[in-house]
Every structure is written in structure tokens, then in C-alpha cells.
Amino acid sequence: MSGVAHIRMDEDEAVAGQRNLGNGHSHESALQLFVNAKKKINDIFKNIGQYVCEADKFVRDISGSSDLKALVSEENINVVKGFREKIDGIAEVLARDHMKVVFFGRTSNGKSTVINAMLRDKILPSGIGHTTHCFIQVEGSDGKEGCLLTEESEKPKSIKDIKQLASALSDVKLSQNSLIRILWPKDKCRLLRDDVILVDSPGIDVTPDLDTWIDKFCLDADVFVLVANAESTLMQTEKNFFHKVSSRLSQPNIFILQNRWDVSEMEEDIDQVKQQHIDRNTEFLVEELKVTDKKAARDRVFFVSAREALASRLSCDKGIATPERILLPGFQARLFEFANFEKEFETCISQSAVKTKFEQHTKRAHNINSEIRSVMEEAYTKSLSLQDEQVQLRREKSARLGLLDKQLDALTSDVKIKIRNMVEDVERKVSAALNDEIRRLSLLVEEFERPFHPDPMLLNVYKKEIHHFIEERLCLNLVGRCSSPILRSLDNMLKYFADRLSEILPSDSKQQLMNLMPKRDFEIAYRLDCRNLCAGFREDIEFRFSLSPTALMQRFLGIKDQINLKKEATSNTRRGSLSGDSHHPMTGSNDGEIMLSLLATFASLTSRSTLGAAVVVGLVAKAAGWRVIIVTGAMYGGVYLYERLTWTTKAREKAFKQQYVDYASSKLRLIIDLTSSNCSHQVQQELTSTFARLCHQADITKTQLEAEIKDVDSGLSILKEISSRAKSLRNKADFFDSELKGFVTQFLCYSGL
């Protein structure tokens, strides 16, 4: 018994001991290659899935903007969208992928016993004769107890029902094309923990429907195990089955177990029999199926006893000795051979599963990644090109805006000078014209023909009418003399504004400039307001004799001299009375003062009407004689009578107009500067407001340019973000390409694929 235990220990060490897989890591078994590869590729596809989603969102964001559609074609958008669905499908398949081993052979060759031995438990129905009637798939479960599922129902059944459902001896057995799934706890079997599923099949010699079996259960198999009977040679039935498998699968991985080799131990020529099996099996694998070479084919043929392996393992797991009648002589070698089969089987299935399950997906992921990288590279390149175009466009618009500002500043300075010169010219013209009109005011007054009457009431009406007449005629004359040349100059100036602005503004702005020009003719308002200006006029149309003493004094001395004379005489008289010097004799130095005093006295006397006249007459009569006085008086009286008779209404009107001309001329001269300034201000205001309106179009153009620059900046910002995202996605594609290459190097290359 100790020898058996020792053999079992060696067997476990051989199978379960740590082995270097050649990739820099040690694993509990060769099956860990597939497990690690599956975990790695699942992680890669998970990240690629997120990457494809990000790329899909990126291209959808681009397609949603009319300005960015040129970055990615509609075809590429649909391609990326399709990749998202493909990656999701691949990820779903990878999550379900496992290492699948299908056991085939003729009836009663021990297929179920081999599986039970590998599972270290008697799970599948086995025995003498045709026992397995349908396909049985054993897979790992996280549960504590085993159960089974059928295709007809999702409800789990007890594991004990397997004998009734799968056994060919049962009355309730399922059809041969049915599949029973046994969910067995992973902690009870190391194979199941490593993502291996084992499929048992009915005997290939009991039904002709092999094609259906292969299509339904074998196309995704990684390894085929042919369980042959060592008591007989390789049969044509078995060969035909694998020829059909080879026609559907490219180079299937096939192991041949020569089971029941324990029975052959009694034969004398056992070595020759063994070599015969080896030769025939090798020839079948190499020459007929062409799935391997001779050296590798030799390593695919094993001589075992599944019955002994199962019994030995069941006894060891239960801690009891294996009955001697079960283990025939030479069992140690057969147990080692079975363990060696498991070792080679695990390595082969792991490598094969990595190739069959992951190689194609890796290539598809690489192609998807490459195409997305091309899309991102195209988007990145085009975004950079658009950025260059936008930067150049921004420079051009900024240069246009800067040039427009400079041109507007220069034009504004030039316009200010021209407006100032024109305003000064208008002021001079209006001032000169108004001066001329004031000098011709007497002619205008003579043209005023209205009935004149000295009555105060009628005279007030007459004055109102002459005020209105003079104001109207003056304004008309000023309009005739000034308005036309001023308006011509104004029109020329406005045209100059429009022409200069049209030179610096875009061509599409010219029509707007024309629309901004004044729609009506500008008119200068000459505000004279003679009524208020001459409101203080007081006419003097009373009769005044031209030879009266007062008139003579006014004529020779003037009114001012007379007033000064009176003041001086009065002041001298007062000084004399206050000092008491009135009786003192006058000296020669005071002759002028005496003369002035006499004249003042004369003027005072004559101003007292009759008394003054009597005094003067008396003095003259005493000096010249009465005859002279009478003649002189007659002549004086004749002159007075003549003047008195000629002082008619017409004479009064003439005197009134002369007085009005003198008064109005003096008042109008006071407002020459005001009127000319007012007119020039009107012209200045018209020019300034029109230029401001015209410049408003320039402001609109500037605003448009600024808005366009802002849009370009916004577009540049978006393009920079797009290029950054495209570059990031491109770099992620490079990263995933490196990940996929690393996966190929780490797993596929190690598998010798």
C-alpha cells in the first residue's frame, strides 16, 4: 500500500507541481496559460471597448457640428459605430470562452471512465456496454453542490438524474443529439477551476449522424481525445470520424488514448503490440490527417488504463487503500502514463485554446484598433490643417481690423481739419454777407411800402411789419448769397466722406454708405429775430426846426459837447458860489472859461422859450439895430414856415425809416458774430452727424470683424480640443496596439503559434 501512496504522491507532483511556462511566470499548471491569457485579453478588450465608445462619441460630436464634418467622413463615422458593436460582441464571446475537450470513440472504449478519472470522481455513467446515450458537458460552477441542466428546461436537476437521462440503459434517456450540462463545484476539481469543460459523447459507431454532431458540438472544441481500445487496432469508423472533423476544422488537436492497456500486460509480445499501435496511430495523424509531424505524433499517443486511474484516485481521495484486484501488474507505469497524458493534454489544450479562442479576436482587435487609429490620425491631421487655416484667417482679420483702425483714425483727423476749415469759411462768408446786407439796410427799408401814420397804435403795427419785412428779406438775401455755395461745399464734403470711407470699407458696405447719406437737402437757418432785436427802438418824428438855437448848438457843438458844456458851466457856477469869488475880476488866463460861461448862459436862456428869445432879441437889437433884426427875423420866420409846412406824413415816414436804419444797423452789427457762428455751427453739426452716421457703418464692419475674430478664436479653441482628443485617441490606439503585441508575445508566441 505504501508503494501505491508513493506513486500517487509522485503523480500529483508531476501533474500539479509548478512548472515554468516559458513566459517568465510560474503557474500551478499549464492550464493557467489560458486562464491568464483570458484575463489579460478580457482586460484589453474592456479597455478597447471603452476606447471605441470614446472614439464613437468623438466622431458623433464631430458629425453634430457642420463646421467639423470635414474632419471625419460619414463612412468613417459609420465604421467606428460598427466597431463599437463588434467589440461588444467579441467581449461577450470572450467572457464565455473556455477550453473545450471532446472525447470520442467507439462504444465501451471507456470515454466516460477517462473523464471520471480526470475529474477524480465517478460522475458520468460508465460500465460495460453502450452506457452514454447523449452528449454530457461537465463545466465548473461556483456552487457547493453539483447539478445538471437539460436543453428542454432551465430548471436545475439533481446530479443523480444523470443515470436516467444519459444512460443508454434508461427508459427516459434523451435523444443522441441532446446535451446535458453538469455544473460541478470548481473546488472539487482543478481542471474546472481553470476554465476547462469536458464533453462526453455517445459511441461514434452507433449512429451515422456524425456531421450533425460535429457541427453542433465540435466546431469550437480545442482538443479531441480519441479513446481507443488497446485490445484492437485503430478502426476505420474512428478514422472516418476524424476525417470529417479535419474537413471542418483546420488541423485539429488530437490525442489518442489506448485504453485498457492493463489487459495487454498478460501478452508475451506486448512491446511489438505497443509499437504496432504507435505506428498505426502515428501514420493516421501524420499521413492521413496531416495534423502534426512524426515526433509530435509520438507524444500524442498514450497507453493507459482509465479504470485503474479512477480507482487509484478515488481511493487516495478517500484515504483508503486501493484493492489489489483492481490494480494489475505494471499499474505504476500505466498510472504514470495517465498522469503524463494529463500533463501533455493540459499543455496542449491551453496552447490550443489560446490560439483558437484569442488569436482571431486579437487580429480583429488589432485591425479595429488600426482603423480607428487611421480615423483619429486623419482627424488629427485635418484639425491641425484647419487650425493653420484658422490661424492664418485670424491674422488676416486682425490685420484688416488694425488697418481699419489706423485708416479710420487718419480719416477722422483729416475730416476734423476739413470740417474746421469749412466751418471757418462758412463763418467768414455769412459774416461778410451780413455786413453787406447791413450796409444795404437803407435800400431794404426803402423797399418797405406800407401806409404810414403817426398815430401810436398804427405806428406799433407799422413797426411790427417792418421788423418782419426786414428779417424776411435779410434771411432771403443771406440764403441767396450764402446757402448755395455752402450747400455745394457741404455736398462735396459729404461725398468726400463717403468716398474715403468706401475706400477703406469692404465693397458690400458701399450701398449701406449710400443709404446713410442725408435723404433731404440741408438748409441753413439764419436766425436774426429783428422783432426782439429792435424791440428797444423809439422813433422821434416830432417837428424840429433846423435853425433853432438848440439845433444850432447841437449842430456846431454836438449833443455830447453841449451836455459837457452844461455840466462844466454848472460845476463852475457852483464852485464860484461856494468860494465867494463871483465878484473878483477875471484874469486873462480865464478868457476861455468866460466864453464858455457865456455860451452856456446863452444856451440856457434860449432854452427857456419866449423869455430866452426876448433876452436874445434885446441884446442883438441893442448891438445891430432893429432893421437888421426885422430883416433877419423875416428870413428866419420864412425858413421856419417853410420847414413847418414841409413836415408832412411822408417826411415823418422818411425820418422814421432813417432812424430805424440807424438803430437796426447798430443792433444787427452786434449779432454778426453770433449769426455767423450759429450758421457755422449748423454746418459743423450736419457734417459731424453725417460723418458719425457714416462711421457707424465702419463701426459695424469693425464689430463684424471683431465678432469674426471671436468666432475664429472659438473655432480655434474647439479645433485645439478636437486635435487634442484625436491625438489622445491616436496615442491610445498606439498603446492598445502595444498591449495587443505584448499579448501576442506573451501568450500566442509562447504557444508556438
Side-chain angles (χ1 to χ4, degrees):
M1 295 303 141
S2 61
V4 175
H6 178 72
I7 291 172
R8 179 73 185 97
M9 180 183 67
D10 292 342
E11 177 188 343
D12 290 343
E13 289 177 357
V15 176
Q18 291 187 349
R19 297 187 296 274
N20 193 307
L21 299 182
N23 57 4
H25 300 281
S26 294
H27 298 270
E28 293 182 355
S29 72
L31 298 177
Q32 284 294 313
L33 174 68
F34 176 82
V35 175
N36 293 334
K38 181 178 180 180
K39 182 179 183 301
K40 179 68 174 179
I41 199 169
N42 272 311
D43 291 341
I44 291 175
F45 267 89
K46 179 181 178 182
N47 293 331
I48 290 179
Q50 295 174 351
Y51 166 64
V52 172
C53 290
E54 186 177 354
D56 181 49
K57 183 179 184 302
F58 172 73
V59 296
R60 282 190 288 107
D61 291 343
I62 290 177
S63 64
S65 173
S66 58
D67 297 332
L68 301 176
K69 281 186 177 180
L71 296 178
V72 181
S73 65
E74 190 69 27
E75 180 182 357
N76 286 337
I77 293 173
N78 295 329
V79 167
V80 174
K81 183 179 180 181
F83 286 160
R84 182 175 180 179
E85 298 174 357
K86 290 181 181 179
I87 290 294
D88 291 341
I90 294 173
E92 184 178 353
V93 171
L94 287 174
R96 297 196 309 265
D97 276 341
H98 41 246
M99 294 176 281
K100 186 175 182 179
V101 185
V102 181
F103 292 81
F104 280 100
R106 288 182 293 127
T107 303
S108 299
N109 279 6
K111 300 184 295 296
S112 300
T113 305
V114 171
I115 295 175
N116 286 337
M118 296 176 70
L119 295 175
R120 309 180 71 87
D121 203 341
K122 194 171 183 180
I123 301 173
L124 304 183
S126 61
I128 300 175
H130 176 40
T131 55
T132 304
H133 185 72
C134 63
F135 283 84
I136 303 174
Q137 178 174 299
V138 183
E139 55 188 274
S141 170
D142 294 327
K144 297 297 183 181
E145 298 295 334
C147 65
L148 61 87
L149 298 172
T150 63
E151 294 177 333
E152 290 78 9
S153 175
E154 292 293 331
K155 183 179 180 180
K157 295 180 175 60
S158 173
I159 197 68
K160 296 179 181 180
D161 295 337
I162 188 68
K163 291 184 178 181
Q164 294 181 351
L165 299 175
S167 176
L169 304 176
S170 173
D171 294 334
V172 294
K173 60 182 179 293
L174 302 177
S175 65
Q176 290 181 339
N177 288 334
S178 300
L179 175 68
I180 296 176
R181 295 173 57 205
I182 295 179
L183 305 181
W184 193 249
K186 292 181 179 179
D187 56 1
K188 293 184 179 182
C189 180
R190 177 178 52 80
L191 288 175
L192 302 182
R193 286 197 299 269
D194 291 333
D195 245 353
V196 178
I197 67 169
L198 306 175
V199 179
D200 191 11
S201 65
I204 59 175
D205 54 344
V206 298
T207 179
D209 198 10
L210 297 180
D211 291 336
T212 303
W213 286 10
I214 295 171
D215 292 338
K216 188 173 182 180
F217 302 108
C218 302
L219 291 181
D220 61 341
D222 301 297
V223 171
F224 293 89
V225 179
L226 171 60
V227 181
N229 190 347
E231 296 179 85
S232 65
T233 186
L234 191 63
M235 305 298 291
Q236 190 61 40
T237 302
E238 296 163 331
K239 290 184 178 182
N240 291 338
F241 172 78
F242 280 103
H243 276 297
K244 291 180 179 295
V245 170
S246 180
S247 66
R248 286 171 169 76
L249 279 77
S250 176
Q251 293 186 333
N253 292 289
I254 301 174
F255 284 84
I256 300 178
L257 291 183
Q258 293 292 342
N259 194 21
R260 298 184 180 177
W261 189 244
D262 55 333
V263 179
S264 303
E265 285 292 337
M266 298 301 188
E267 301 295 331
E268 295 181 358
D269 53 353
I270 186 172
D271 292 336
Q272 289 83 354
V273 173
K274 185 176 183 180
Q275 186 61 44
Q276 183 187 43
H277 282 305
I278 292 174
D279 292 341
R280 288 181 63 84
N281 292 335
T282 302
E283 181 183 358
F284 172 66
L285 295 175
V286 176
E287 302 297 335
E288 295 188 37
L289 294 183
K290 298 180 181 181
V291 294
T292 185
D293 55 25
K294 288 185 178 181
K295 182 179 179 181
R298 175 64 186 85
D299 296 332
R300 296 292 180 92
V301 182
F302 299 90
F303 297 86
V304 299
S305 173
R307 180 184 61 83
E308 289 180 337
L310 176 60
S312 175
R313 293 179 178 185
L314 287 175
S315 299
C316 288
D317 290 343
K318 294 178 181 179
I320 61 175
T322 305
E324 293 184 1
R325 60 183 179 84
I326 296 179
L327 302 178
L328 298 179
F331 70 90
Q332 295 94 340
R334 288 188 295 275
L335 292 179
F336 276 121
E337 185 79 353
F338 195 89
N340 190 38
F341 156 68
E342 288 184 317
K343 174 184 175 182
E344 295 298 327
F345 156 79
E346 290 178 6
T347 302
C348 180
I349 189 177
S350 181
Q351 294 176 353
S352 175
V354 168
K355 175 178 176 62
T356 58
K357 299 298 190 299
F358 305 144
E359 182 183 31
Q360 190 62 30
H361 294 326
T362 303
K363 290 179 179 179
R364 291 180 66 187
H366 177 74
N367 292 336
I368 290 173
N369 193 59
S370 297
E371 291 194 36
I372 293 180
R373 189 193 185 284
S374 299
V375 173
M376 296 304 113
E377 180 66 28
E378 180 184 5
Y380 177 68
T381 304
K382 288 184 177 180
S383 65
L384 290 181
S385 177
L386 283 179
Q387 283 186 58
D388 293 338
E389 293 177 5
Q390 293 297 97
V391 168
Q392 182 63 29
L393 181 62
R394 191 189 189 286
R395 288 174 181 169
E396 293 175 0
K397 291 185 178 297
S398 297
R400 285 175 54 192
L401 182 60
L403 179 61
L404 181 60
D405 283 332
K406 291 180 180 179
Q407 290 176 329
L408 283 175
D409 291 341
L411 177 59
T412 302
S413 299
D414 183 35
V415 166
K416 285 182 178 179
I417 295 173
K418 289 186 176 298
I419 290 177
R420 184 171 62 250
N421 294 338
M422 185 172 179
V423 166
E424 292 175 353
D425 183 60
V426 168
E427 190 170 353
R428 286 193 299 270
K429 287 181 179 179
V430 174
S431 178
L434 188 55
N435 270 316
D436 290 344
E437 291 301 321
I438 291 174
R439 286 193 291 269
R440 296 176 60 253
L441 187 60
S442 59
L443 299 178
L444 292 178
V445 172
E446 288 299 326
E447 293 176 2
F448 180 72
E449 296 180 355
R450 295 289 187 277
F452 181 83
H453 197 280
D455 182 78
M457 295 295 293
L458 298 176
L459 195 60
N460 287 333
V461 175
Y462 186 85
K463 285 195 287 186
K464 290 180 181 180
E465 292 179 352
I466 197 172
H467 291 334
H468 178 72
F469 175 79
I470 295 301
E471 180 178 347
E472 182 180 2
R473 292 300 300 273
L474 282 177
C475 291
L476 287 175
N477 292 342
L478 289 176
V479 168
R481 296 184 60 178
C482 301
S483 294
S484 295
I486 291 176
L487 291 177
R488 283 195 298 271
S489 299
L490 183 65
D491 291 339
N492 292 334
M493 185 65 69
L494 295 179
K495 187 176 182 300
Y496 172 78
F497 293 166
D499 291 342
R500 286 293 306 276
L501 278 172
S502 63
E503 292 175 0
I504 65 177
L505 293 180
S507 57
D508 56 354
S509 300
K510 292 183 179 180
Q511 184 59 43
Q512 284 80 357
L513 286 175
M514 304 301 357
N515 294 334
L516 291 174
M517 294 294 286
K519 298 297 183 183
R520 57 182 180 81
D521 293 335
F522 170 70
E523 296 181 0
I524 301 177
Y526 302 94
R527 300 180 182 88
L528 299 177
D529 197 8
C530 290
R531 178 176 299 180
N532 292 326
L533 192 65
C534 299
F537 171 67
R538 297 293 181 268
E539 72 283 351
D540 183 10
I541 56 175
E542 296 297 328
F543 175 72
R544 295 285 187 272
F545 181 44
S546 60
L547 297 179
S548 66
T550 303
L552 292 175
M553 291 293 291
Q554 291 175 353
R555 184 173 300 171
F556 291 109
L557 298 178
I559 298 175
K560 183 176 179 180
D561 293 339
Q562 180 185 6
I563 294 172
N564 292 335
L565 182 60
K566 289 181 179 179
K567 289 181 178 179
E568 187 174 355
T570 304
S571 61
N572 289 334
T573 304
R574 290 179 178 176
R575 284 197 300 270
S577 62
L578 289 174
S579 60
D581 296 337
S582 57
H583 302 289
H584 294 175
M586 295 183 181
T587 61
S589 61
N590 294 329
D591 290 342
E593 294 180 1
I594 294 172
M595 186 62 183
L596 288 174
S597 178
L598 290 175
L599 291 173
T601 302
F602 178 77
S604 176
L605 291 175
T606 56
S607 64
R608 295 177 183 175
S609 186
T610 306
L611 180 59
V615 173
V616 172
V617 169
L619 292 175
V620 173
K622 186 177 181 180
W626 287 104
R627 184 176 293 177
V628 176
I629 292 173
I630 292 172
V631 174
T632 302
M635 293 176 61
Y636 187 81
V639 173
Y640 175 81
L641 182 61
Y642 172 77
E643 289 185 3
R644 190 72 180 84
L645 292 175
T646 58
W647 187 249
T648 61
T649 301
K650 190 68 176 177
R652 291 182 179 183
E653 181 181 7
K654 183 178 181 180
F656 176 87
K657 288 183 176 181
Q658 184 60 46
Q659 294 174 16
Y660 183 81
V661 168
D662 294 340
Y663 185 85
S665 298
S666 63
K667 292 297 184 181
L668 288 173
R669 286 190 179 91
L670 297 177
I671 63 168
I672 290 176
D673 293 339
L674 179 62
T675 303
S676 59
S677 297
N678 180 44
C679 294
S680 63
H681 179 71
Q682 294 178 53
V683 173
Q684 181 181 9
Q685 187 175 7
E686 177 68 14
L687 290 172
T688 304
S689 61
T690 304
F691 182 70
R693 288 198 303 273
L694 295 176
C695 285
H696 180 67
Q697 185 60 38
D699 294 335
I700 292 176
T701 303
K702 287 177 59 178
T703 303
Q704 290 176 347
L705 282 174
E706 291 170 353
E708 290 173 1
I709 291 173
K710 187 176 180 181
D711 291 341
V712 170
D713 290 338
S714 177
L716 274 173
S717 177
I718 293 174
L719 284 174
K720 287 179 181 178
E721 181 183 356
I722 292 296
S723 63
S724 176
R725 290 176 63 186
K727 183 179 180 181
S728 175
L729 290 171
R730 185 196 64 182
N731 293 340
K732 284 185 179 181
D734 293 337
F735 170 76
F736 289 126
D737 191 54
S738 175
E739 286 280 295
L740 291 170
K741 289 180 180 177
F743 176 81
V744 171
T745 302
Q746 184 178 3
F747 295 103
L748 296 182
C749 291
Y750 166 71
S751 301
L753 308 173

